[in-house]
Amino acid sequence: MRELINNAEYDVVVVGAGPGGSMASYYASKNGAKTLLIEKSQEIGEPVRCAEAVPKMEDFGITPDPQFVRSHIKGGYLVAPNGKIIEVSGGKTDGYVVERKIFDKYLAVRSARVGTKVAVKSRVVDLEHNGNGYDVIVSHLGEEYIIKAKIVIAADGVESSVAEMAGLKSKKIPTQVCSCAEYEMTNVKLLDNEMMEFYFGDISPKGYAWIFPKGDTANVGLGVIDKHKKAIDYLNEFIEHPILEGRLKDATPIEFKCGGAPVGGPIEKTVDDNIIVVGDAAGQISPLSGGGIYLSMSCGSMAGEVAAKCIKNNNCSVDALIEYENKWKEKYYDTLMTELRYKNILQKLTEKELNALADAMDDKLEEVDVKKIAFKAVKNAPSLLKYFKEII
C-alpha cells in the first residue's frame, strides 16, 4: 500500500470510491491516464447510506449480475396521505435494487482491471497547489504521505472536503440536506415484489418514505428535513403507521443505515485548474427523488474521459477541464433545476393539497404531466393556485 502513496506521482487521483469515483477512475485509466483511486474506508462500499436503487446500469455497459442485483424493479407506487395509490412505470422507475456493498466493490474492481491503483483506509487531509497540479496529502494508518497529481477528481460525497480544499464552494446548506434513515428488513409484506413504494405527507416532512424490494429483504426508510425530530424517530413511527395496514407487523430489521442526501441542486462550479468535482460532492443528485447513483456514474464517466483527454493534451487548466462541466450541464442541468423547483413546491404543500394532486392523477401513469395534473387538482384545492407561476 505504502508504495502506492509514498512520494508517488499520478496523472489523476480520484478521491472517493463510490459509483461516481469508480466510474471516473475507470474511464481515466481506460483512456491512458495513470490513475489512483483513494477511499477513506477500510472496505469499499461501507457504510451503505442509500436505498440502493440503480436505474438501467446497462447504459454504462454493465451487465446486471446476480452477485450484486437483488431485485429487478419495473416501476413504483406513489401513495398519497389519503391512501390513494398511483402506479408509475417505465423511464427512471425501471431498474434494479442492488447490494451496494458488493456493487461498489465490483465497480472498483472493474476500474482496477483497466489499470487503476486503489488505496483504501486512506484519507485526504489537505491539498496544496504546486504549479503543475496538486500535492495530495494523505493520512494512512497514522502516517502522512504526499502524492503528486496533475488532476484531482473530488468524488468524496455529501461532506466533500476535497473540493473545499481546492477553493471550490461545495459545502451544503443544512436545510437542503435530507436526513435519511433506513432499515433493511425481513418478513416484509410488499404490495408487489417488482415495484417500489413511495409515501408522502406528514409521515416524512419535506421528504418521503419508501419501501424497496430487495430479494428476500426490503429497504424500509425515509428522508426528512426537520429540526424537531430525528429521521430514525420518523422511521420507527412509519413502520407502525396505519397506512401500511400492518404489512410490517412481522418484519424485523437486520441492518440499519443512515446518511444525508444533498437535495439543494448542483454546486455553482464543478471545475477549476487541476480539479473536477463529481457526484454528491457536486450536488449531482435528483432534488425531487434524492436518487444519485445513476447521475454519479454518468457524470463520473464524463469526468474520467475529460481528465484523460486533458492529460494527453498536457493541459489541465480550467479552460480545458470546463469541457466536463459543459457536458454534464448540457445533459442534466435543466432537468435538475426543474426538479429543484418542483421539490421546493412539494415541500410547502399540506396533506390536503397532496391529496388533491393525487386525486387529479390517473391510477396508472407512464409519464407525469405536471401542468395537466396541477390544472386538474386546483379544482379540489384552490390554494394550489399560488404555485401555478412556479409550475408553469
Side-chain angles (χ1 to χ4, degrees):
M1 174 70 76
R2 290 180 180 176
E3 66 271 15
L4 296 179
I5 57 177
N6 188 22
N7 295 317
E9 296 185 13
Y10 291 90
D11 296 324
V12 177
V13 169
V14 182
V15 185
S22 286
M23 293 298 283
S25 64
Y26 173 83
Y27 280 97
S29 292
K30 190 177 181 182
N31 287 285
K34 183 182 178 184
T35 304
L36 175 69
L37 176 61
I38 296 177
E39 170 55 44
K40 65 182 179 182
S41 298
Q42 63 188 32
E43 183 176 0
I44 291 170
E46 290 273 15
V48 177
R49 297 180 178 180
C50 80
E52 305 179 293
V54 184
K56 289 296 179 186
M57 63 184 73
E58 295 93 334
D59 291 352
F60 305 103
I62 296 171
T63 302
D65 191 309
Q67 70 171 305
F68 53 75
V69 170
R70 292 292 175 260
S71 294
H72 181 200
I73 300 298
K74 296 183 178 179
Y77 295 123
L78 310 180
V79 186
N82 63 7
K84 179 174 178 180
I85 298 175
I86 298 105
E87 180 181 327
V88 181
S89 59
K92 294 180 182 178
T93 64
D94 191 349
Y96 307 91
V97 173
V98 301
E99 185 68 71
R100 280 288 303 273
K101 297 170 193 173
I102 301 173
F103 183 64
D104 284 21
K105 195 174 290 186
Y106 164 85
L107 293 178
V109 169
R110 179 173 175 261
S111 181
R113 283 177 173 166
V114 294
T116 300
K117 301 300 182 183
V118 183
V120 295
K121 196 63 176 175
S122 302
R123 181 185 294 272
V124 174
V125 294
D126 203 3
L127 292 181
E128 295 177 2
H129 207 278
N130 58 29
N132 191 41
Y134 278 101
D135 289 342
V136 184
I137 295 88
V138 175
S139 175
H140 174 68
L141 298 180
E143 295 187 37
E144 288 190 359
Y145 301 89
I146 296 176
I147 305 166
K148 293 192 179 298
K150 295 175 183 175
I151 296 173
V152 173
I153 298 179
D156 52 333
V158 61
E159 306 97 343
S160 190
S161 56
V162 172
E164 289 279 335
M165 292 172 190
L168 292 175
K169 294 181 180 179
S170 64
K171 291 297 181 188
K172 313 302 183 292
I173 300 170
T175 54
Q176 294 179 344
V177 176
C178 236
S179 296
C180 302
E182 178 182 82
Y183 291 121
E184 182 175 345
M185 308 185 83
T186 189
N187 298 331
V188 174
K189 293 180 181 177
L190 299 164
L191 293 176
D192 187 311
N193 61 11
E194 293 184 327
M195 299 288 282
M196 300 176 288
E197 303 172 27
F198 303 88
Y199 296 81
F200 300 89
D202 295 342
I203 284 173
S204 186
K206 296 186 178 181
Y208 63 86
W210 63 79
I211 301 176
F212 288 2
K214 189 182 175 185
D216 294 334
T217 63
N219 286 332
V220 180
L222 49 69
V224 298
I225 297 179
D226 187 87
K227 295 180 181 178
H228 308 294
K229 203 157 52 174
K230 295 178 181 178
I232 182 61
D233 296 327
Y234 280 107
L235 177 56
N236 289 330
E237 290 174 5
F238 170 65
I239 287 169
E240 298 180 356
H241 198 281
I243 202 167
L244 296 177
E245 299 179 336
R247 291 192 293 116
L248 299 183
K249 179 172 62 73
D250 297 322
T252 187
I254 58 170
E255 187 171 345
F256 174 69
K257 310 160 195 174
C258 61
V263 293
I267 64 174
E268 186 177 347
K269 284 183 65 179
T270 56
V271 294
D272 206 342
D273 291 337
N274 310 99
I275 183 86
I276 293 174
V277 192
V278 164
D280 283 8
Q284 292 163 339
I285 179 173
S286 167
L288 203 53
S289 71
I293 299 177
Y294 186 95
L295 277 167
S296 290
M297 292 175 70
S298 181
C299 294
S301 303
M302 297 177 199
E305 287 179 340
V306 170
K309 179 179 177 181
C310 289
I311 293 296
K312 284 179 182 177
N313 294 336
N314 196 29
N315 183 359
C316 304
S317 69
V318 64
D319 292 337
L321 294 175
I322 198 70
E323 182 182 348
Y324 157 72
E325 186 165 295
N326 292 339
K327 278 187 171 184
W328 84 255
K329 282 190 172 181
E330 181 181 359
K331 192 167 185 179
Y332 297 117
Y333 187 79
D334 287 348
T335 298
L336 289 176
M337 297 312 289
T338 298
E339 289 188 355
L340 179 61
R341 191 168 75 250
Y342 291 158
K343 184 267 295 184
N344 290 337
I345 294 171
L346 281 171
Q347 288 185 342
K348 299 173 187 175
L349 299 185
T350 64
E351 287 202 335
K352 180 181 177 181
E353 290 167 334
L354 286 169
N355 288 333
L357 284 174
D359 290 339
M361 297 184 195
D362 295 332
D363 290 344
K364 291 188 177 184
L365 297 172
E366 289 190 5
E367 186 177 350
V368 178
D369 187 331
V370 175
K371 294 178 183 178
K372 182 180 178 181
I373 292 166
F375 275 112
K376 193 175 177 182
V378 78
K379 295 176 183 177
N380 294 327
S383 58
L384 289 169
L385 274 170
K386 61 179 174 284
Y387 304 113
F388 262 46
K389 184 178 179 181
E390 296 173 73
I391 293 172
I392 299 170

